[in-house]
Amino acid sequence: SSLPPPRTRIFKIIVIGDSGVGKTCLTYRFCAGRFPDKTEATIGVDFREKVIEIDGEKIKVQLWDTAGQERFRKSMVQHYYRNVHAVVFVYDVTSAASFRSLPAWIEECRQHALGQEVPRILVGNKCDLRHLSQVSTELAQQFADAHSMPLFETSAKNPHGGEEGGGRNSSDHVEAI
Ligand code: GDP
Ligand code: MG
């Protein structure tokens, strides 16, 4: 009873992928529980936080968003990759180019000593636009398997399924983070 209360542990998770894939919207969805409006999405922050409870212990999850630093990454990059507990790679299912960029992002991570020993997941975002998909689940799953990562297909906009305005496919993706 004389012990001080335990400090809340912080889990730093970095969210990586091309500009426009939905990194900001995904981190916002996770921390605020909803899709951001236009102005909220453009406010640049290093990270968003949310306290969750796992096995009775409160854990502070820090999701690091690149907030447009894609362009001046050189100076940011050390700060960004320091003390990382997990990595989320994001592509946009409606953008084959964002999927093709993944090896470069994975390589950058590896260069910062974040290899397979750090938990990594692959997230295909914008599944609410499934009808515009350019990246099949099968192809993404092959890639994920080849890199020993689990794959989650999701939507920051409509994580519980269905096309915009209601439609079919209500359970074909998973809320990833
Ligand atoms: P970032 O550059 O990776 O941070 O991408 P943003 O989070 O800023 O999102 C880029 C654009 O994609 C914005 O216009 C978002 O409204 C849109 N967007 C993000 N996530 C989704 C999604 O799940 N579904 C759809 N339809 N649009 C999304
Ligand atoms: Mg962003």
Side-chain angles (χ1 to χ4, degrees):
S1 59
S2 59
L3 289 172
R7 277 198 296 161
T8 307
R9 280 200 282 175
I10 294 175
F11 274 33
K12 176 178 178 179
I13 301 174
I14 56 176
V15 182
I16 293 178
D18 280 4
S19 184
V21 296
K23 300 180 299 295
T24 297
C25 291
L26 282 167
T27 60
Y28 196 96
R29 161 71 69 182
F30 179 79
C31 294
R34 60 182 176 80
F35 197 70
D37 67 33
K38 271 215 167 59
T39 48
E40 288 167 332
T42 54
I43 295 168
V45 294
D46 280 352
F47 57 79
R48 296 188 172 79
E49 291 183 324
K50 180 179 177 173
V51 175
I52 61 169
E53 210 172 297
I54 296 175
D55 296 334
E57 184 186 349
K58 286 194 165 60
I59 309 269
K60 188 177 280 183
V61 177
Q62 239 176 35
L63 287 177
W64 284 59
D65 184 5
T66 40
Q69 286 108 325
E70 289 95 344
R71 274 174 296 133
F72 51 94
R73 291 183 59 82
K74 273 206 177 98
S75 56
M76 288 298 301
V77 97
Q78 296 300 337
H79 173 59
Y80 192 67
Y81 279 99
R82 197 172 298 134
N83 301 323
V84 166
H85 296 97
V87 181
V88 178
F89 293 103
V90 185
Y91 66 95
D92 169 355
V93 298
T94 72
S95 162
S98 75
F99 185 75
R100 284 194 298 268
S101 292
L102 290 169
W105 290 115
I106 290 170
E107 175 58 18
E108 184 182 278
C109 261
R110 204 190 56 73
Q111 283 173 5
H112 290 85
L114 298 176
Q116 294 198 8
E117 66 282 358
V118 176
R120 302 173 307 166
I121 70 169
L122 181 61
V123 171
N125 189 39
K126 307 195 189 180
C127 283
D128 57 293
L129 303 177
R130 182 57 96 184
H131 54 291
L132 300 175
S133 180
Q134 295 184 354
V135 183
S136 71
T137 299
E138 191 180 25
L139 181 64
Q141 189 63 60
Q142 275 174 17
F143 184 84
D145 290 347
H147 291 272
S148 305
M149 290 189 266
L151 168 70
F152 298 90
E153 293 185 306
T154 193
S155 160
K157 195 167 199 172
N158 186 5
H160 301 296
E163 300 278 323
E164 191 68 23
R168 298 172 295 122
N169 311 325
S170 62
S171 61
D172 67 351
H173 60 269
V174 181
E175 189 167 8
I177 56 173

